[in-house]
Amino acid sequence: MTISPSKKAKMVIQNSPFVLLVGPMLKPLSRRKMPLPKNIPCLLIDGGKDFFRGESKNVLSLGDCDSSKGPLDILLPTKKDYSDFGYALSLLPKTVKILFLEGFLGGRRDHELFNMGEIAHFLRGKKHTMSFFDNEIIALSAGEYELKLKATFSVAVFEETRVTLKGKCLYQTKNKLFKPLSSLGLSNKATGKVQIKTNKPLFIIIENSK
């Protein structure tokens, strides 16, 4: 019996609220391949698979093999109107509330931007769901959050969004309308706990973290 990709993903993720996605831009600490994660469900996106060795029941690999040596658990067509990353996000069950994303920043600028766009689409309509791009970008769905930040940061949105910022940050807002990629959210400074309320997906881009 053939198992569908979505069922394969559910078998790996089960009811976990966390999932790790690894892309082809991962920067390993050494040139040696790393053991596969065993304590968190993991989706290896195309070339992300080539950084690891061994086997794990918590891991599923997928992609079109344009950056991986293969083989992959789910082979996608090379000619398609969606990215490997976008397809992987479509497989995630509703139980997932926190995404750890490694290896999706750097490289081609268009890929990096569209990866953020795919996350914005994934978060739309969700509540209290978070995505972490390495330690550089935090993406939030609609909801209220408290984050501990000691860094310069910017707030970016891809659609008109009502945002409240308060707590240990230099520039605070109350239900302020942020327009797509407006400079309104540029170069804020945080020195501790920051409370954030947003009615749509929002990105926190972190610089000079301490």
Side-chain angles (χ1 to χ4, degrees):
M1 182 178 68
T2 302
I3 302 176
S4 69
S6 60
K7 286 186 177 180
K8 287 182 180 180
K10 287 181 180 179
M11 289 171 63
V12 168
I13 298 170
Q14 298 183 18
N15 294 319
S16 174
F18 310 98
V19 65
L20 168 65
L21 280 74
V22 180
M25 301 305 296
L26 182 68
K27 298 175 182 177
L29 298 177
S30 71
R31 293 185 179 181
R32 297 181 179 180
K33 289 190 175 182
M34 300 173 286
L36 287 167
K38 297 186 182 298
N39 58 348
I40 183 172
C42 180
L43 301 187
L44 305 179
I45 314 303
D46 214 75
K49 178 181 185 294
D50 296 346
F51 293 100
F52 297 93
R53 56 179 167 79
E55 296 182 359
S56 172
K57 64 180 181 180
N58 296 329
V59 173
L60 182 70
S61 62
L62 63 95
D64 58 14
C65 267
D66 69 344
S67 62
S68 173
K69 299 175 183 178
L72 302 174
D73 298 319
I74 299 174
L75 183 62
L76 301 177
T78 55
K79 293 183 179 180
K80 56 188 186 301
D81 58 0
Y82 54 88
S83 69
D84 297 345
F85 181 55
Y87 184 81
L89 293 175
S90 74
L91 299 180
L92 300 181
K94 294 181 180 180
T95 55
V96 173
K97 292 297 182 182
I98 298 181
L99 280 65
F100 298 102
L101 309 171
E102 298 184 7
F104 296 100
L105 298 180
R108 284 177 51 175
R109 193 170 298 171
D110 54 348
H111 284 195
E112 186 174 272
L113 179 61
F114 288 3
N115 285 340
M116 293 175 63
E118 288 289 356
I119 285 294
H121 290 302
F122 172 78
L123 294 175
R124 185 177 291 120
K126 291 183 169 56
K127 293 284 189 179
H128 302 104
T129 303
M130 308 173 71
S131 300
F132 296 86
F133 284 88
D134 299 317
N135 294 315
E136 300 178 29
I137 300 174
I138 303 172
L140 308 173
S141 71
E144 297 184 41
Y145 304 86
E146 182 174 87
L147 302 176
K148 188 175 182 180
L149 297 172
K150 291 186 178 181
T152 298
F153 71 98
S154 296
V155 172
V157 298
F158 284 79
E159 57 185 319
E160 290 191 349
T161 304
R162 292 284 177 181
V163 180
T164 296
L165 295 172
K166 59 183 182 179
K168 298 292 186 176
C169 59
L170 181 60
Y171 304 118
Q172 304 194 12
T173 65
K174 184 176 181 180
N175 201 33
K176 184 77 172 180
L177 181 64
F178 280 56
K179 294 184 177 181
L181 299 179
S182 165
S183 59
L184 174 62
L186 189 64
S187 295
N188 206 329
K189 295 182 185 296
T191 57
K193 292 181 180 179
V194 178
Q195 291 79 41
I196 301 168
K197 182 179 180 180
T198 177
N199 71 330
K200 293 179 182 177
L202 172 151
F203 289 79
I204 299 171
I205 303 171
I206 301 170
E207 301 287 344
N208 304 322
S209 179
K210 296 181 181 179

